[in-house]
Amino acid sequence: MAQIIDGKAVSAAIKEQVRDEIARDNIKAGLAVVIVGNDPASRVYVNNKKKACEFCGIQSFEYALPEETSMQELLELIDTLNNDKNVNGILVQLPLPKQLDEKAVIERISPQKDVDAFHETNVGKIMIGNYSFLPCTPAGCMELIHSTGISVSGKECVVIGRSNIVGKPMAMLLLHENGTVTICHSRTKDLAEVCRRADILVAAVGKPNFVTADMVKEGAIVIDVGINRLENGKLCGDVKFDEVSEKAGWITPVPGGVGPMTIAVLMKNTLTAAKLQNKT
Ligand code: NAD
């Protein structure tokens, strides 16, 4: 039976560290969160970010814009936030309504304030291993892997999913820690066979119960990034928890695994941004 990796506990410890450092060094840090439209899931995420800011002593600025916001209006707001000394981090909640070009919006955020680490400057820095911030979800997954006490070095690591937000940066972070990394995606052949090689298996597919026990090596670390809403309203990951937890050595639950880590790393990144900007 797998040991459960407790994302709530690990994320709480990170937020406490951020809170203590802010209080100890009297750091002024501010995070602007921009939400466009009325997506209920995005609303929940934004509220959770606000609560985490309050806990850590980070000032939060929320900009809730209507669904029909134009590109020009959004870019003007980002320019204002880029120039606002009280704002150290800027996060635009994705997805954006159809009329808005997500890529152009992300590229408009100053790389020094891009606490999601989605800007191409930050993505490039991560690629060469010379970064200030790491993208929140993959960095959160790395913290969970570290919490097991098992070293990534030399391990077979398989990431299912190749999105710019999760899969690709996750693979890069595992590589930075000397894992032997394979990225799988919708065109991968013999997926189960590839996954069975993994000492560390990360699922970021967005399909409920996609990873079954026959795809998992005995004793593996299984990190479930997926957040899927079932018809009955319950949340479920990409991993079939009941059967995979019988075989894995370590496993993250959904909810209570990767989810809370994303916000904790966001708080850490906002503190880092404030420290870097206060230096200049
Ligand atoms: P995405 O849709 O952009 O990417 C999904 C990936 O899965 C793609 O690269 C695709 O190639 C791969 N895929 C699809 N079908 C496949 C198949 N049959 N076999 C192998 N690979 C397949 O999704 P994303 O943004 O990377 O998110 C993935 C999941 O993680 C979603 O459930 C999302 O809600 C969740 N997520 C969670 C957090 C968090 O904070 N915990 C953050 C971001 C995303």
Side-chain angles (χ1 to χ4, degrees):
M1 187 73 190
Q3 298 197 52
I4 307 292
I5 305 177
D6 185 350
K8 278 192 198 156
V10 180
S11 66
I14 293 173
K15 283 188 285 185
E16 280 165 21
Q17 277 168 17
V18 172
R19 179 196 63 187
D20 293 350
E21 186 174 343
I22 286 179
R24 187 193 64 215
D25 297 341
N26 201 15
I27 295 169
K28 208 165 156 282
L31 174 68
V33 179
V34 180
I35 176 170
V36 186
N38 304 311
D39 179 50
S42 293
R43 201 57 266 164
V44 172
Y45 293 138
V46 167
N47 284 339
N48 289 342
K49 285 166 189 170
K50 200 168 154 188
K51 275 193 219 150
C53 281
E54 275 166 24
F55 175 85
C56 294
I58 293 173
Q59 200 176 357
S60 72
F61 306 91
E62 193 186 313
Y63 296 86
L65 306 182
E67 183 81 27
E68 61 279 7
T69 299
S70 71
M71 208 42 198
Q72 195 189 340
E73 286 164 325
L74 183 53
L75 294 181
E76 278 173 10
L77 172 61
I78 291 173
D79 289 343
T80 305
L81 298 173
N82 280 339
N83 292 317
D84 185 340
K85 290 229 171 332
N86 293 316
V87 171
N88 303 110
I90 302 170
L91 182 148
V92 177
Q93 186 66 46
L94 302 178
L96 289 171
K98 282 189 289 298
Q99 77 276 15
L100 300 171
D101 176 353
E102 281 184 4
K103 192 171 178 302
V105 170
I106 290 167
E107 294 315 316
R108 191 71 159 237
I109 298 172
S110 155
Q112 287 78 24
K113 297 192 177 187
D114 168 42
V115 282
D116 258 337
F118 292 165
H119 191 286
E120 55 191 32
T121 299
N122 288 324
V123 174
K125 285 176 146 212
I126 291 159
M127 188 88 176
I128 57 173
N130 167 30
Y131 44 78
S132 305
F133 328 106
L134 292 175
C136 299
T137 302
C141 293
M142 292 307 291
E143 298 273 1
L144 293 177
I145 294 168
H146 295 157
S147 77
T148 66
I150 294 166
S151 165
V152 174
S153 185
K155 299 287 188 309
E156 287 284 344
C157 305
V158 173
V159 179
I160 321 175
R162 57 173 162 185
S163 71
N164 289 333
I165 293 175
V166 188
K168 280 188 215 162
M170 185 69 223
M172 199 50 60
L173 300 192
L174 290 163
L175 182 63
H176 285 326
E177 295 196 13
N178 304 312
T180 302
V181 185
T182 306
I183 306 178
C184 298
H185 45 79
S186 50
R187 308 272 178 96
T188 297
K189 294 207 171 76
D190 301 325
L191 180 70
E193 195 185 309
V194 179
C195 291
R196 273 195 299 272
R197 293 208 300 258
D199 302 305
I200 300 174
L201 179 64
V202 181
V205 191
K207 293 192 173 159
N209 299 319
F210 182 81
V211 175
T212 45
D214 63 305
M215 298 165 76
V216 175
K217 180 179 180 174
E218 195 85 42
I221 298 176
V222 179
I223 305 290
D224 188 352
V225 185
I227 302 179
N228 308 293
R229 179 81 57 191
L230 299 176
E231 273 177 15
N232 63 12
K234 282 195 172 166
L235 281 186
C236 140
D238 288 347
V239 175
K240 204 164 187 182
F241 185 88
D242 291 350
E243 60 177 59
V244 173
S245 60
E246 295 287 332
K247 202 169 176 191
W250 298 83
I251 191 166
T252 62
V254 176
V258 176
M261 295 302 295
T262 301
I263 292 185
V265 176
L266 175 67
M267 297 299 110
K268 196 169 154 180
N269 284 352
T270 305
L271 170 59
T272 304
K275 289 197 288 188
L276 289 171
Q277 287 160 38
N278 291 342
K279 253 197 230 164
T280 52

